[in-house]
Amino acid sequence: MTSPSPKPPAGPSTSITELAAGDHIQAWTATALYCSGTVELLDPDLGVLWLREDRIGARRLLDTEEHQIHHHPAPPSPLL
């Protein structure tokens, strides 16, 4: 997934030690949004987390050393 915005949000990225299961995040490369979703599992010792992606619901493993992680408000729930 890419973003029309070429840069991550302003401010420092979020450390894995500040995250918890259920947090909504965005993972950025240096120039584009890589993915966004909800944190499912974390392993701070390894610096990795499992994320459930928005839109498609795929599960993705992220290395927090390779991406800038930012808390982000969850997208609105679709109306039923």
Side-chain angles (χ1 to χ4, degrees):
M1 172 191 302
T2 59
S3 169
S5 175
K7 295 183 181 180
S13 60
T14 305
S15 167
I16 192 169
T17 59
E18 299 174 60
L19 296 172
D23 286 347
H24 192 269
I25 63 167
Q26 290 184 332
W28 286 80
T29 65
T31 60
L33 178 61
Y34 180 70
C35 65
S36 65
T38 304
V39 174
E40 288 192 337
L41 296 169
L42 301 123
D43 190 332
D45 294 333
L46 295 177
V48 297
L49 61 85
W50 281 100
L51 171 82
R52 182 69 63 182
E53 283 191 77
D54 294 337
R55 297 188 201 177
I56 60 174
R59 201 165 183 228
R60 186 180 295 259
L61 177 66
L62 293 176
D63 182 339
T64 58
E65 293 293 320
E66 295 181 13
H67 299 91
Q68 294 180 26
I69 307 297
H70 294 272
H71 273 280
H72 193 267
S77 298
L79 296 174
L80 300 178

